[in-house]
Amino acid sequence: MVKLSKVINALSMIHERSNRKIGVLISGRGSNLQAIIDSIEAGTLNAKIAVVISNKLNAEGLVRAKDHGIETIFLDHRDYSSREKFDLAVVEELKSRDVSLVCLAGFMRLLSATFVRAFPSRILNIHPSLLPSFPGLDAQTQAFDYGVKESGATVHIVTPELDAGPIVCQAVVPVSDSDTAELLAARILSEEHKLYPEAIGIMLDGGWRVEGRRFLRS
Ligand code: GRF
């Protein structure tokens, strides 16, 4: 006789694979959110944005989501007495909408270990440099000022350490002698807009695993 627990496991694996609902977390402009919306609407990304959550009331990304009929939630982190409590409230909203992937798109907050544990290897972030170079804020200016000849963008799985999780994919952007930090940032951003939807598709399609720091596709 087949054990009930095995059947439940198999069913939950099938559900996980067929669940293409994502939650997007933002704090501002939302141009990456827009790129995700556009890719879904163009049919190049098979996903559904179940909810967009912002910790900033006036985030432009909230307007972008509403314009496309996507549910939005504003949760002010200052209303919570700790990072954990805020994170738990966000997790609850995501879980109650059954999202299988969480995408940070300019979400300007570090996630607690509690948040990360709620979605193991199921949280993505996009960062405007070739990690592990130039983590943290103003990565484009950091790279420009350092004098690198190539920078770019990285999509990685989120861990509680800042910009340090396994790398899903990267795009390289050359730096020219006539560049400014602003021009470089703009070229990196347009690469981000292609890279993030692609990475989300990879994650949702499955057939990947994480070994140590390495993200591998089988
Ligand atoms: C992007 O540069 C992204 O790499 C970084 O924050 C910025 C968000 O921009 N994490 P936007 O809000 O998606 O326009």
Side-chain angles (χ1 to χ4, degrees):
M1 218 176 77
V2 187
K3 270 196 176 167
L4 184 61
S5 61
K6 280 199 174 163
V7 175
I8 291 171
N9 270 347
L11 286 175
S12 75
M13 273 172 69
I14 291 166
H15 173 68
E16 195 57 43
R17 253 183 245 149
S18 59
N19 179 1
R20 304 188 72 96
K21 278 182 271 181
I22 67 173
V24 183
L25 270 49
I26 60 166
S27 298
R29 181 176 58 181
S31 71
N32 278 286
L33 166 67
Q34 188 68 57
I36 298 166
I37 295 172
D38 293 345
S39 302
I40 293 172
E41 292 184 351
T44 53
L45 172 62
N46 176 10
K48 179 178 167 38
I49 303 178
V51 66
V52 171
I53 302 177
S54 173
N55 66 321
K56 297 277 180 193
L57 181 59
N58 56 3
E60 199 187 326
L62 287 175
V63 179
R64 296 178 191 265
K66 283 181 194 147
D67 283 350
H68 290 262
I70 298 165
E71 185 189 2
T72 60
I73 298 175
F74 160 58
L75 288 177
D76 192 337
H77 57 275
R78 293 169 304 186
D79 290 343
Y80 297 81
S81 55
S82 68
R83 181 178 298 277
E84 290 254 308
K85 284 189 179 140
F86 172 73
D87 281 8
L88 280 172
V90 177
V91 165
E92 199 179 308
E93 298 293 357
L94 294 165
K95 290 278 182 193
S96 70
R97 286 160 185 81
D98 191 30
V99 311
S100 71
L101 184 70
V102 180
C103 303
L104 310 186
F107 186 61
M108 302 305 284
R109 289 185 60 81
L110 249 186
L111 300 196
S112 63
T114 308
F115 195 140
V116 172
R117 269 198 303 271
F119 291 94
S121 294
R122 286 271 162 194
I123 308 172
L124 287 183
N125 181 43
I126 185 150
H127 182 78
S129 77
L130 292 175
L131 289 171
S133 293
F134 313 117
L137 291 176
D138 293 326
Q140 305 96 324
T141 309
Q142 286 188 56
F144 182 81
D145 289 347
Y146 195 92
V148 296
K149 299 298 183 199
E150 286 182 334
S151 191
T154 302
V155 176
H156 66 91
I157 292 176
V158 172
T159 58
E161 298 76 37
L162 180 69
D163 300 329
I167 291 169
V168 177
C169 49
Q170 294 184 303
V172 176
V173 175
V175 184
S176 75
D177 289 353
S178 58
D179 253 331
T180 62
E182 292 70 30
L183 284 172
L184 176 63
R187 288 207 313 286
I188 291 174
L189 190 63
S190 67
E191 286 305 314
E192 291 182 41
H193 295 161
K194 292 179 239 162
L195 193 68
Y196 213 0
E198 190 186 315
I200 293 168
I202 291 170
M203 294 298 288
L204 294 176
D205 286 346
W208 52 266
R209 64 189 190 283
V210 176
E211 278 181 22
R213 283 208 44 84
R214 303 183 69 216
F215 178 91
L216 303 170
R217 295 173 75 183
S218 33

